Amino acid sequence: MTMMRREIGNSNMNTWECSESSSSPSWFSHLWSSALRSKPLSTPSEATIRDASGEGLVRRLGLFDLLLLGIGASIGAGIFVVTGTVAHDAGPGVTVSFIIAGGSCVLNALCYAELASRFPAVVGGAYLYAYTAFNEIIAFLVFSQLMLDYHIGAASIARSLASYVITALELIPFLKNNIPSWVGHGSEEIYGAFSFNLLAPILLVLLTIVLCRGVGESSILNSVMTVTKVVIVIFIIIVGAFEIDVSNWTPFAPNGFESVLTGATVVFFAYVGFDAVANSAEESKSPQRDLPLGIIGSLLICVALYVGVCLVLTGMLPYKSLGGDAPLAEAFTSKGLQYVSVLISIGAIAGLTTTLLVGLYVQSRLYLGLGRDGLLPSLFAEVHQTQHTPVHSQIWVGIVASVLAGFFNVHILSHILSVGTLTGYSVVSACVVTLRWNDKTAHQVFGKSMSSRAEGLICLITVVCCGFAAGVFYRFGASFIFLIVAVVIAIFAAAALHLRQVYTDTPGFSCPGVPILPTVCIFINIFLFAQLHYEAWVRFVVLSIVTVGIYAVYGQYHANPVSSNTLIIYQKAPAEAD
């Protein structure tokens, strides 16, 4: 993929420079105009291309690779733990919790699938979509919220993986109780935040080397580990099915439907990761066809695996006895099947490895996108000429994760995670709506003229506010009438979006039910956002302020969006295979 730029006329350039110098806009007006810049939307058959000098990534990922990428990112060790933890409160109804959460994620996946089809050959994911549908500052804010989640999440997963590896090594008799805690489990905390871990950074370095070697090598490792993990999960489901006592499924929801719904808000984050497929657009062999299938297909497989584990776990033991650190292993041990515990440990190591590998992969591709756009130094945009990987971005991601995992007890920050994920999902859903708008005329609203786009944005903001209000009312047990009011207002806003906007059809994969389905996604995502720890809300506000500051100091001066004096020459993406 190559990108070629042509300067359009020296006279036009000189005129532009003179007019800019004569007007001398103020710092704030420059910041404002820069923040509102957006990327032009290309057709699905087009792709921004890179020159043949090695700037482009190489297309090596087929549909099977993308499916394994999504599964590898979504299913970690949590499938062996979180299922039992939530079942302790929700009872056998945890199965419904996973179905509800999975259904919600499927709606989000449909939105991602449409945009992945419309931007089939450019990296960036949610950041790129926001840059095109909204503006530069919103895209930068989405990036910062996502990246903090990724950095802390990678460090936390690396520590968990190190702990599982040490636990597995201690199965060897002469190593049992002879490995110092600081090697893999982490040293004692210092001032509540610092804790040394030797193995976690080593594992991160090894995975970073694999990712720098090329997407082919990392894809092979991910495929092997993901297949191992899935085979173990399926084996556990089959073996456990013969140990089920159906009487354990009664009562199905012992603490009522509210506990099932609360469980859904918790297990929603067990599905997070399918969006990683969207960030592999530039390395997919047939992106317009395979990306939507990879996103939705990987998620549906994850839903089936989670539901299967829930049914087995709650059928093997009464729900009241679940909730320990290793509920699935305890369930099989109680049935005299100790060997399954060993398989669970292997599956956990494989699951954490793939989750960490894909997380590091996605981070580097996001940095690559921002480096290309000038919002970060151009160093992040460089691609190795022979390996065809963003080596500098990948090394930077590995360094950040290694420092966090090696010296900090990042597990204490787990309650401020998921902010970026929910923010990204909500913005992607809003992008689907705004990019479909086709009506450029003005409408009369309360006797005043308002552009169709402005009216639509007000409706989307209303849905966001109602979703947050409903979540707060639900969280703090407010009167049910307040919750109903928030939902009704959101319904009116969605109806206005449906009736007062004109929507275009999109080639390729098209999300059904626009604008209603994306609006429901936004409401659910923001409702879940309101269920997060209050420190997560503070983190969202503080990081947003810091991000705006970084943009004001650096981003607005170095971003290189398409301007009137530059022409981007596009070439068609590779033809889709029949």
Side-chain angles (χ1 to χ4, degrees):
M1 308 272 302
T2 60
M3 173 183 285
M4 296 177 290
R5 293 191 174 194
R6 273 193 291 140
E7 301 300 326
I8 306 180
N10 292 332
S11 59
N12 290 343
M13 170 66 83
N14 295 334
T15 302
W16 179 79
E17 289 178 344
C18 292
S19 62
E20 182 181 41
S21 59
S22 60
S23 59
S24 300
S26 66
W27 177 85
F28 181 78
S29 63
H30 182 273
L31 173 64
W32 182 254
S33 61
S34 299
L36 296 182
R37 294 181 297 208
S38 63
K39 275 184 173 291
L41 176 64
S42 60
T43 64
S45 61
E46 295 175 334
T48 307
I49 55 174
R50 300 276 156 189
D51 60 44
S53 63
E55 285 188 36
L57 304 178
V58 63
R59 296 186 178 278
R60 292 180 178 173
L61 301 179
L63 176 58
F64 185 67
D65 298 311
L66 296 176
L67 287 171
L68 293 180
L69 189 72
I71 297 170
S74 299
I75 295 185
I79 193 170
F80 307 114
V81 179
V82 71
T83 46
T85 303
V86 178
H88 182 72
D89 297 318
V94 67
T95 305
V96 178
S97 297
F98 271 97
I99 293 174
I100 293 174
S104 175
C105 285
V106 167
L107 299 182
N108 283 286
L110 291 171
C111 296
Y112 260 97
E114 175 174 319
L115 295 182
S117 180
R118 297 188 71 171
F119 300 86
V122 188
V123 297
Y127 154 78
L128 172 68
Y129 308 152
Y131 206 163
T132 303
F134 295 107
N135 51 54
E136 199 165 275
I137 188 62
I138 290 181
F140 198 38
L141 287 167
V142 168
F143 165 80
S144 66
Q145 296 291 347
L146 282 172
M147 197 51 61
L148 184 59
D149 271 15
Y150 280 130
H151 282 320
I152 297 176
S156 180
I157 293 170
R159 283 210 158 206
S160 297
L161 177 58
S163 181
Y164 269 99
V165 169
I166 294 300
T167 300
L169 290 175
E170 288 180 338
L171 294 175
I172 303 174
F174 72 87
L175 291 178
K176 187 173 180 63
N177 299 324
N178 289 324
I179 301 178
S181 61
W182 53 266
V183 173
H185 296 297
S187 65
E188 293 185 5
E189 296 178 9
I190 304 174
Y191 302 115
F194 299 95
S195 174
F196 181 69
N197 190 308
L198 177 63
L199 184 56
I202 293 176
L203 295 173
L204 284 164
V205 169
L206 293 175
L207 291 179
T208 299
I209 292 174
V210 172
L211 287 164
C212 289
R213 289 283 299 169
V215 68
E217 289 77 0
S218 58
S219 177
I220 292 173
L221 176 59
N222 179 70
S223 298
V224 171
M225 300 297 278
T226 301
V227 169
T228 300
K229 172 177 57 180
V230 171
V231 168
I232 289 175
V233 172
I234 294 175
F235 178 79
I236 289 171
I237 293 173
I238 294 173
V239 172
F242 292 97
E243 303 293 335
I244 289 177
D245 180 359
V246 293
S247 64
N248 289 328
W249 288 338
T250 305
F252 191 74
N255 297 316
F257 182 74
E258 183 177 352
S259 65
V260 174
L261 184 60
T262 301
T265 65
V266 175
V267 304
F268 175 89
F269 304 105
Y271 293 108
V272 168
F274 64 85
D275 51 308
V277 180
N279 287 283
S280 63
E282 203 167 314
E283 291 160 293
S284 171
K285 293 178 181 177
S286 302
Q288 195 169 349
R289 181 198 67 188
D290 290 348
L291 289 179
L293 293 175
I295 292 171
I296 298 174
S298 62
L299 182 57
L300 291 177
I301 293 172
C302 291
V303 173
L305 293 177
Y306 273 118
V307 170
V309 170
C310 288
L311 289 173
V312 166
L313 182 61
T314 55
M316 291 178 66
L317 290 178
Y319 74 92
K320 291 182 180 180
S321 62
L322 301 174
D325 293 333
L328 199 59
E330 293 171 3
F332 280 96
T333 301
S334 68
K335 300 293 184 179
L337 301 172
Q338 288 86 351
Y339 73 94
V340 178
S341 298
V342 178
L343 290 177
I344 291 174
S345 296
I346 297 174
I349 292 174
L352 288 169
T353 301
T354 58
T355 303
L356 184 57
L357 181 73
V358 176
L360 295 172
Y361 166 86
V362 170
Q363 291 176 59
S364 67
R365 271 54 182 177
L366 283 172
Y367 273 109
L368 172 64
L370 269 83
R372 286 176 174 175
D373 293 333
L375 289 169
L376 290 178
S378 59
L379 180 72
F380 292 106
E382 296 182 12
V383 176
H384 196 277
Q385 293 189 4
T386 57
Q387 304 299 335
H388 298 285
T389 57
V391 175
H392 294 146
S393 294
Q394 199 68 70
I395 292 175
W396 166 253
V397 167
I399 291 173
V400 173
S402 297
V403 170
L404 290 175
F407 299 100
F408 295 92
N409 180 21
V410 289
H411 291 305
I412 64 175
L413 300 177
S414 60
H415 56 279
I416 69 169
L417 292 178
S418 302
V419 173
T421 300
L422 292 174
T423 301
Y425 286 3
S426 300
V427 170
V428 166
S429 298
C431 289
V432 170
V433 177
T434 57
L435 289 174
R436 291 273 203 104
W437 287 340
N438 192 39
D439 188 3
K440 308 297 183 181
T441 61
H443 294 168
Q444 291 294 320
V445 181
F446 299 118
K448 295 183 179 180
S449 179
M450 179 181 297
S451 70
S452 176
R453 179 177 175 84
E455 181 183 341
L457 291 175
I458 290 174
C459 290
L460 289 174
I461 293 172
T462 300
V463 172
V464 170
C465 294
C466 290
F468 186 77
V472 171
F473 294 149
Y474 175 80
R475 175 175 179 174
F476 295 103
S479 174
F480 192 67
I481 189 65
F482 292 109
L483 184 62
I484 295 297
V485 170
V487 172
V488 169
I489 295 175
I491 291 174
F492 277 114
L497 283 172
H498 178 67
L499 298 174
R500 295 179 60 83
Q501 298 287 337
V502 178
Y503 295 90
T504 59
D505 294 326
T506 60
F509 180 86
S510 181
C511 176
V514 175
I516 302 302
L517 188 148
T519 303
V520 171
C521 288
I522 295 172
F523 186 91
I524 293 174
N525 294 334
I526 301 302
F527 179 92
L528 293 173
F529 183 95
Q531 310 307 310
L532 299 178
H533 196 279
Y534 75 92
E535 290 183 8
W537 304 352
V538 175
R539 163 243 155 126
F540 177 83
V541 174
V542 171
L543 182 58
S544 296
I545 294 173
V546 172
T547 301
V548 172
I550 294 174
Y551 178 80
V553 173
Y554 182 89
Q556 66 164 322
Y557 300 111
H558 295 84
N560 54 357
V562 180
S563 61
S564 58
N565 60 300
T566 304
L567 173 65
I568 297 294
I569 302 177
Y570 291 104
Q571 293 182 6
K572 290 184 180 297
E576 302 294 340
D578 294 331

